[in-house]
């Protein structure tokens, strides 16, 4: 797990936490299906072998887990960026693409970006979140490298991935795909 220090956390998190008297540490949080401390919730999110990013209903970057080292992130965002809007985080040239992803995710469908290479098969998925009243609450993005899972499966079953000879070319670089 990557350790984040108070210095690396954005001032937005620190100030907002104080202003709302946010639960922390051993404080319990009542969830839909259980009761956990803030420390337990952090432990769950931080043990996931994926990048987890949350954007709130105002397009503000409000959460990232800290399991993946920054140099390995597919979509590098870090604690000092928390509280910033998507427009503040992304370059202006990429904003139309980012907004298209957000707009698609807000429809209730999952938007997926795939980045295959020889050493990894990264999939970024974006899905809208709803509150208890079924109102839009933001978008969660999770990014996972599927190659270790694929390799484990192949090792366990003795199977191999082989080229499909009926395909003339492989299009692994044309960009994002949308999946319902």
């Amino acid at each position: 797990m990557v350790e984040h220090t108070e210095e690396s956390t954005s001032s937005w998190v620190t100030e907002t936490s104080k202003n709302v008297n946010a639960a922390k540490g051993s404080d319990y949080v009542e969830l839909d299906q259980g009761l956990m401390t803030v420390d337990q919730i952090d432990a769950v999110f931080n043990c996931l072998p994926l990048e987890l990013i949350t954007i709130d209903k105002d397009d503000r970057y409000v959460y990232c887990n800290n399991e993946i080292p920054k140099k390995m992130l597919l979509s590098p965002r870090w604690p000092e960026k928390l509280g910033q809007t998507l427009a503040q985080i992304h370059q202006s040239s990429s904003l139309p693409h980012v907004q298209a992803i957000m707009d698609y995710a807000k429809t209730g469908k999952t938007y997926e970006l795939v980045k295959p290479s020889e050493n990894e098969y990264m999939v970024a998925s974006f899905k809208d979140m709803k509150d208890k009243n079924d109102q839009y609450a933001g978008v969660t993005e999770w990014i996972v490298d599927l190659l270790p899972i694929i390799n484990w499966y192949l090792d366990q079953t003795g199977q191999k991935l082989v080229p499909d000879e009926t395909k003339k070319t492989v299009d692994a670089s044309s960009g994002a795909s949308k999946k319902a």
Side-chain angles (χ1 to χ4, degrees):
M1 178 172 66
V2 178
E3 293 296 325
H4 293 303
T5 63
E6 181 81 21
E7 296 81 39
S8 70
T9 301
S10 77
S11 61
W12 174 83
V13 171
T14 306
E15 291 170 18
T16 304
S17 181
K18 287 178 186 174
N19 289 340
V20 301
N21 195 25
K24 58 185 166 194
S26 61
D27 295 344
Y28 278 89
V29 177
E30 185 177 349
L31 305 167
D32 287 345
Q33 299 294 319
L35 185 68
M36 297 173 73
T37 67
V38 173
D39 288 338
Q40 289 170 327
I41 293 168
D42 275 340
V44 168
F45 286 162
N46 290 332
C47 78
L48 299 173
L50 52 84
E51 292 176 57
L52 183 63
I53 298 157
T54 302
I55 307 299
D56 73 7
K57 66 181 180 174
D58 299 317
D59 287 347
R60 184 175 306 279
Y61 169 53
V62 296
Y63 179 79
C64 64
N65 65 340
N66 60 7
E67 176 64 14
I68 312 286
K70 192 185 295 188
K71 67 182 180 189
M72 294 176 62
L73 293 173
L74 176 66
S75 184
R77 294 178 187 88
W78 33 88
E80 58 269 19
K81 300 283 187 183
L82 289 166
Q84 294 183 8
T85 63
L86 293 174
Q88 292 169 312
I89 293 172
H90 294 281
Q91 296 178 4
S92 58
S93 60
S94 67
L95 276 177
H97 182 66
V98 169
Q99 193 58 55
I101 291 171
M102 294 296 289
D103 291 344
Y104 187 83
K106 290 175 185 178
T107 68
K109 299 175 183 173
T110 301
Y111 189 100
E112 292 181 334
L113 294 171
V114 179
K115 180 189 166 199
S117 73
E118 186 175 311
N119 300 321
E120 60 189 11
Y121 194 89
M122 302 299 282
V123 178
S125 301
F126 303 79
K127 179 83 172 94
D128 70 328
M129 301 179 299
K130 302 283 186 172
D131 66 17
K132 290 182 186 258
N133 298 317
D134 204 35
Q135 298 298 306
Y136 173 74
V139 169
T140 292
E141 173 186 5
W142 60 98
I143 305 169
V144 64
D145 180 2
L146 293 179
L147 193 57
I149 299 167
I150 293 167
N151 288 337
W152 175 87
Y153 174 80
L154 295 173
D155 184 58
Q156 293 298 306
T157 63
Q159 296 182 48
K160 293 181 181 180
L161 293 177
V162 295
D164 182 347
E165 301 300 330
T166 65
K167 300 260 186 192
K168 299 286 187 224
T169 61
V170 175
D171 180 7
S173 61
S174 65
S177 60
K178 294 180 184 178
K179 196 171 212 176

